[in-house]
Amino acid sequence: MSVNTDRSYKMKLRDVENAFKYRRIPYPKRSVELIALLAISCTFFLFMHTNKLNSRLKEMEVKLQPSEFSALGLTGNHISGHDAGKHDDINTLHGTYQYLKSTGQMSSLNVRDLNNTRKAQMELVFFNRVPKVGSQTFMELLRRLSERNNFQFHRDAVQKVETIRLAEDQQQEMAEVISELPEPSVFIKHVCFTNFTKFNLPTPIYLNVVRDPVERVISWFYYVRAPWYFVERKAAFPDLPLPHPAWLKKDFETCVLSGDQECTYTQGVTVEGIGDHRRQSLFFCGHDYECTPFNTVGALERAKFAVEQQYAVVGVLEDFNTTLSVLEKYVPRFFEGVRDIYANSAEYLTKINKNNFKPPVSEHVKNIVRRNFTNEIEFYQFCRQRLHKQYLAAHLPQKIITAHQGGFGGN
């Protein structure tokens, strides 16, 4: 390559470099507007997000402020998922407190008036347990408490056919057997409320537990269809016939919606036997025939009267923690330490008798059933409100129960 050619090449290369160096790269005409719009959008978004966060923080701050309710230490109630959004419902602990406060009844709450343990004439708990209310868990707690608190644990043997409503001579025989147990003792049996004073026998400490009546009949429906239920029953009673496969496959929703007799709950109808689990109030009303018709006002009022006058505590499955607290306060001879025992074994205790074969039931079907359970629901709510009153009375300042004062359970 000649010198002139080399010089020409270098000049062209320099001209290309200068062209790139001073070249003005054109922007689209609307680029500035787009960038400005993007900046404004981002700023607006950040403002809205910050404002939302600020509102949420203020809400949390209000929730975290100690309310009058929590300041009194009244936080032991377990609010179930069904009640989580109804904190002012009178059937919740907080709702009961607000109602009593607004009506001026808080000042007249008295432990003595709510404590039937003082009426007991012997150190013996009679737990005439309602089926499908978590009573297996309570039985296990009582068995463990018997070792801790030094009392005897007794339960009725499993029977081929459970008879809960007894003739008068059978009631007396049972009451006499229970009365002869060594004190202190606990006796547990599926049976209607039995008045011991009717047979000139000393009064025991009556205890029981209730559950949402619709949830309870659903639980029973699937409990008697669970495979392990038949294995246990067949092992205990080999001559029991196996149920028909069509009956085993039946589901609750179809049963209700199709008008199946098994899931038809007609007011005033009487169905005898342990299998008729629609009548939770029967276990409190008593053995009389007037207690047997389903969902009647007469049975409701008798059951309420027995709870109010005879039962030391009627616990509620949906308020389990509150129930344990009330039992520990009102029946300390037997239930002292029950919350510690439960806390240490909750994982095991909550699985007792749990039915993994029970599918969910829609609220639509539950509401259909609830229409026919009006008096049973009222009784359940009555028991729940009474339990909350007992809890509030025992936890108010200067109103803590003194153990053994004026009776086996306190004042």
Side-chain angles (χ1 to χ4, degrees):
M1 180 181 294
S2 67
V3 175
N4 291 332
T5 304
D6 182 55
R7 185 179 301 165
S8 177
Y9 173 77
K10 289 181 178 180
M11 288 179 65
K12 288 181 180 179
L13 182 62
R14 186 170 60 250
D15 291 339
V16 171
E17 287 177 353
N18 289 334
F20 275 98
K21 183 176 180 181
Y22 297 105
R23 181 173 180 261
R24 183 177 179 182
I25 301 174
Y27 286 95
K29 292 183 178 181
R30 297 184 58 84
S31 295
V32 175
E33 290 88 343
L34 288 171
I35 293 171
L37 182 61
L38 181 62
I40 293 170
S41 299
C42 289
T43 304
F44 180 73
F45 172 77
L46 288 171
F47 170 77
M48 293 297 294
H49 187 62
T50 304
N51 191 49
K52 185 177 180 181
L53 284 173
N54 188 48
S55 299
R56 291 182 64 184
L57 285 170
K58 285 183 178 179
E59 289 176 7
M60 291 176 66
E61 185 179 1
V62 171
K63 289 179 180 179
L64 291 171
Q65 290 296 323
S67 65
E68 180 183 8
F69 185 72
S70 61
L72 288 172
L74 307 177
T75 56
N77 186 34
H78 169 69
I79 304 292
S80 68
H82 181 67
D83 295 321
K86 303 186 299 179
H87 297 297
D88 291 329
D89 189 333
I90 192 174
N91 295 310
T92 65
L93 181 60
H94 187 269
T96 301
Y97 171 75
Q98 293 293 348
Y99 173 78
L100 294 173
K101 181 185 173 186
S102 65
T103 56
Q105 297 181 56
M106 281 300 297
S107 59
S108 62
L109 263 191
N110 188 287
V111 168
R112 181 180 175 82
D113 294 340
L114 294 165
N115 184 20
N116 288 331
T117 309
R118 61 190 174 84
K119 299 178 181 179
Q121 297 169 329
M122 56 178 167
E123 281 192 305
L124 195 146
V125 167
F126 182 23
F127 180 17
N128 66 311
R129 66 186 183 112
V130 177
K132 305 313 298 169
V133 297
S135 59
Q136 292 278 1
T137 299
F138 282 99
M139 280 203 303
E140 178 59 22
L141 283 169
L142 279 166
R143 188 190 65 77
R144 297 186 184 195
L145 284 165
S146 68
E147 300 173 1
R148 183 191 188 279
N149 295 336
N150 193 29
F151 61 84
Q152 291 194 18
F153 175 89
H154 304 272
R155 61 166 296 184
D156 194 29
V158 178
Q159 300 177 26
K160 185 176 181 180
V161 179
E162 193 89 50
T163 304
I164 60 173
R165 199 169 71 87
L166 307 177
E168 191 163 318
D169 60 330
Q170 294 173 316
Q171 295 175 47
Q172 182 171 355
E173 182 182 359
M174 179 189 69
E176 288 173 350
V177 168
I178 294 172
S179 298
E180 291 172 0
L181 292 173
E183 298 180 43
S185 285
V186 167
F187 184 80
I188 304 168
K189 177 178 172 63
H190 287 309
V191 69
C192 296
F193 166 71
T194 305
N195 192 342
F196 281 45
T197 58
K198 181 179 180 180
F199 307 110
N200 297 315
L201 295 169
T203 304
I205 302 168
Y206 292 102
L207 294 180
N208 217 325
V209 182
V210 294
R211 179 183 187 178
D212 180 298
V214 174
E215 296 294 344
R216 182 172 162 270
V217 293
I218 294 171
S219 179
W220 174 256
F221 182 91
Y222 286 109
Y223 172 72
V224 295
R225 288 170 167 81
W228 47 265
Y229 173 80
F230 289 103
V231 172
E232 291 178 357
R233 295 285 292 170
K234 197 70 176 174
F237 309 104
D239 58 329
L240 277 178
L242 290 174
H244 195 279
W247 182 85
L248 287 173
K249 294 177 182 178
K250 193 187 299 185
D251 72 276
F252 188 78
E253 292 200 352
T254 303
C255 186
V256 171
L257 296 173
S258 65
D260 191 304
Q261 189 62 36
E262 184 180 359
C263 304
T264 301
Y265 308 101
T266 306
Q267 181 156 328
V269 169
T270 296
V271 180
E272 292 285 18
I274 190 71
D276 182 31
H277 279 275
R278 64 196 72 193
R279 300 169 302 166
Q280 184 167 230
S281 60
L282 178 63
F283 285 82
F284 301 87
C285 179
H287 300 270
D288 293 341
Y289 179 78
E290 289 76 10
C291 296
T292 59
F294 171 66
N295 200 53
T296 60
V297 175
L300 166 67
E301 294 305 324
R302 285 185 178 217
K304 282 184 177 180
F305 184 79
V307 170
E308 203 160 46
Q309 297 297 318
Q310 301 290 345
Y311 280 82
V313 177
V314 175
V316 177
L317 180 62
E318 288 81 4
D319 291 308
F320 195 84
N321 293 333
T322 303
T323 296
L324 296 185
S325 180
V326 169
L327 285 168
E328 197 165 34
K329 291 288 186 181
Y330 286 75
V331 197
R333 173 64 185 86
F334 293 87
F335 285 93
E336 183 181 1
V338 66
R339 287 180 295 173
D340 292 336
I341 290 176
Y342 179 73
N344 293 331
S345 306
E347 186 176 355
Y348 165 74
L349 291 169
T350 53
K351 293 178 181 178
I352 293 178
N353 231 19
K354 184 177 181 180
N355 186 1
N356 294 319
F357 294 91
K358 185 179 77 171
V361 175
S362 70
E363 283 301 313
H364 171 66
V365 170
K366 289 180 183 179
N367 287 331
I368 292 173
V369 177
R370 286 190 183 107
R371 294 170 196 160
N372 292 343
F373 274 75
T374 51
N375 290 316
E376 286 293 326
I377 290 171
E378 182 177 337
F379 175 69
Y380 163 74
Q381 292 173 344
F382 169 82
C383 293
R384 197 172 188 184
Q385 291 164 22
R386 178 179 185 259
L387 179 75
H388 295 161
K389 285 183 180 180
Q390 288 181 308
Y391 182 89
L392 291 168
H395 287 77
L396 286 174
Q398 300 180 344
K399 290 191 177 183
I400 305 299
I401 294 177
T402 303
H404 306 297
Q405 182 180 347
F408 295 118
N411 193 9

